[in-house]
Amino acid sequence: MVAMSARPNQESAAPQAETTSPHRAGFACFVGRPNAGKSTLTNALVGQKVAITSNRPQTTRHTVRGIVHRDDAQLILVDTPGLHKPRTLLGERLNDVVRTTWAEVDVIGFCLPADQKLGPGDKYIVKELAGIKKTPKIAIITKTDLVESKALAEQLLAVSALADELGFEWAEIIPVSAVKEEQGAGRTPSGKGKGEDGRGAGQVALLADLIAPLLPVSPPLYPEGDLTDEPEMVMVAELIREAALEGVRDELPHSIAVVVEEMLPRTDRPADKPLLDIHANVYIERPSQKGIIIGPKGQRLKDVGTKSRKHIEALLGTPVFLDLHVKVAKDWQRDPKQLRKLGF
């Protein structure tokens, strides 16, 4: 039945049917050279730690999926290892992980730190990205809190010019700071995203706004509330490795691997006072490295356990007893058998 106006001589203003944009869901990966801020950005977008971070290069060793839930979209963010010139079999396999990932996602975010000049490593990555024709690519200038406006403007121009040189166009260019939200947000005159003072204004939420429309129309791919699809044992191992990376010598981070052997609730505990027993091994490559990890009178290993246990208890929501042991897996980064054993 059609409703007629009670006043035929007055122009009717029938309300328009509300149009809602279709829900979108898909995968976006962050790529870049080591230590470009990819993991920190992933955590900032998700709103919780799902990827470990460190100021040491090549901290990320496998793809980590963080899930962002919005009313209009679900963003599955894939943090990848830094693409680099490999010196070991591990390095070659990490590079393979990156290339496999960006071939399968819906959007690629290229991360370039604002405080470092565009270098040969960045140009190498962008040249590879230029060969991926159909996937939209966003250039993300990270760590904008570390530079002044002039340096940021130069970086924005440099990354734009590089795409022109290679014959493609960025879907967006946006500066962000995952660790320091600054006042003001908006887009540059070219629609590429910049704060009023030119320094990025944090803009993490704006980055999600830019990624969402580039994803395919789809219902949510993960249940509401899921923030990652990482297995708990893998996340626990990564939190232990993150704690172990703090304060070690420059040559040691690449030699550290962690495997959780067992996670079991202690059986003799009352229901209102649960305790989870976690047994994990920290692997290094040479016996001489054992002392670095353990420290004088075992203090460094104790600190690693204390720091990581706090994050593990927050992640799992239960008290934890953490049992750590340091073991030698000789030259594991170059040994296919050892790499398989350690999950690579």
Side-chain angles (χ1 to χ4, degrees):
M1 185 170 75
V2 179
M4 301 297 291
S5 170
R7 298 180 180 179
N9 294 329
Q10 185 177 11
E11 190 169 327
S12 175
Q16 296 291 319
E18 287 188 13
T19 57
T20 56
S21 300
H23 188 277
R24 296 177 179 272
F27 295 81
C29 75
F30 294 141
V31 301
R33 54 184 160 84
N35 211 21
K38 302 181 293 294
S39 297
T40 303
L41 184 58
T42 299
N43 291 337
L45 281 159
V46 174
Q48 182 171 312
K49 179 190 283 287
V50 294
I52 70 169
T53 59
S54 169
N55 59 2
R56 307 292 183 183
Q58 298 170 37
T59 300
T60 302
R61 286 183 175 161
H62 62 292
T63 56
V64 178
R65 290 193 180 103
I67 304 163
V68 180
H69 301 272
R70 297 162 49 109
D71 291 337
D72 62 334
Q74 187 181 78
L75 285 60
I76 299 100
L77 307 173
V78 188
D79 178 26
T80 63
L83 198 66
H84 62 289
K85 185 176 181 179
R87 295 184 176 88
T88 64
L89 181 57
L90 172 64
E92 291 175 9
R93 291 190 177 179
L94 295 184
N95 281 352
D96 289 343
V97 165
V98 177
R99 291 188 176 95
T100 300
T101 301
W102 72 31
E104 296 175 346
V105 296
D106 303 296
V107 180
I108 299 171
F110 167 66
C111 295
L112 174 68
D115 63 333
Q116 299 173 31
K117 293 288 185 182
L118 192 69
D122 301 304
K123 293 176 182 178
Y124 175 76
I125 295 170
V126 175
K127 188 175 181 179
E128 289 208 24
L129 294 181
I132 305 171
K133 301 298 183 184
K134 294 184 179 180
T135 308
K137 294 166 277 290
I138 296 176
I140 305 165
I141 310 301
T142 61
K143 307 183 183 182
T144 60
D145 52 293
L146 300 180
V147 299
E148 298 300 326
S149 302
K150 182 181 177 182
L152 177 56
E154 290 173 353
Q155 197 76 313
L156 291 168
L157 290 171
V159 75
S160 179
L162 182 57
D164 292 340
E165 181 185 322
L166 294 170
F168 77 97
E169 186 176 353
W170 299 109
E172 298 282 352
I173 301 176
I174 177 171
V176 300
S177 169
V179 296
K180 183 181 178 184
E181 293 289 338
E182 299 168 343
Q183 254 196 342
R187 305 250 189 124
T188 60
S190 60
K192 302 302 185 183
K194 185 169 70 173
E196 288 179 7
D197 64 354
R199 296 186 59 199
Q203 303 214 117
V204 169
L206 177 58
L207 176 59
D209 290 342
L210 298 179
I211 292 173
L214 300 175
L215 300 176
V217 174
S218 168
L221 303 174
Y222 287 89
E224 181 71 31
D226 283 9
L227 299 180
T228 181
D229 64 356
E230 284 288 287
E232 286 183 348
M233 288 180 74
V234 172
M235 293 192 71
V236 167
E238 287 290 271
L239 290 172
I240 296 168
R241 186 164 67 91
E242 181 181 47
L245 287 171
E246 293 184 19
V248 295
R249 296 180 188 176
D250 288 344
E251 73 273 16
L252 193 54
H254 312 301
S255 300
I256 298 173
V258 178
V259 175
V260 173
E261 300 292 344
E262 194 173 58
M263 283 175 53
L264 291 172
R266 193 169 293 186
T267 54
D268 58 353
R269 302 282 290 195
D272 60 339
K273 291 184 179 180
L275 185 67
L276 186 67
D277 286 318
I278 299 177
H279 302 277
N281 293 326
V282 179
Y283 288 93
I284 36 82
E285 292 191 295
R286 298 186 297 276
S288 60
Q289 296 171 336
K290 225 173 179 180
I292 300 172
I293 290 291
I294 295 174
K297 298 182 179 180
Q299 189 58 48
R300 252 206 59 75
L301 188 63
K302 184 179 179 182
D303 290 344
V304 169
T306 301
K307 290 175 183 177
S308 59
R309 190 179 71 249
K310 290 178 182 177
H311 289 299
I312 293 166
E313 288 179 340
L315 171 72
L316 302 179
T318 186
V320 162
F321 173 79
L322 183 58
D323 179 38
L324 292 180
H325 295 271
V326 179
K327 296 190 174 185
V328 177
K330 188 177 178 182
D331 293 329
W332 66 264
Q333 294 186 75
R334 295 170 174 80
D335 184 341
K337 186 177 179 181
Q338 296 279 20
L339 282 172
R340 284 194 298 273
K341 178 182 175 183
L342 299 176
F344 299 103

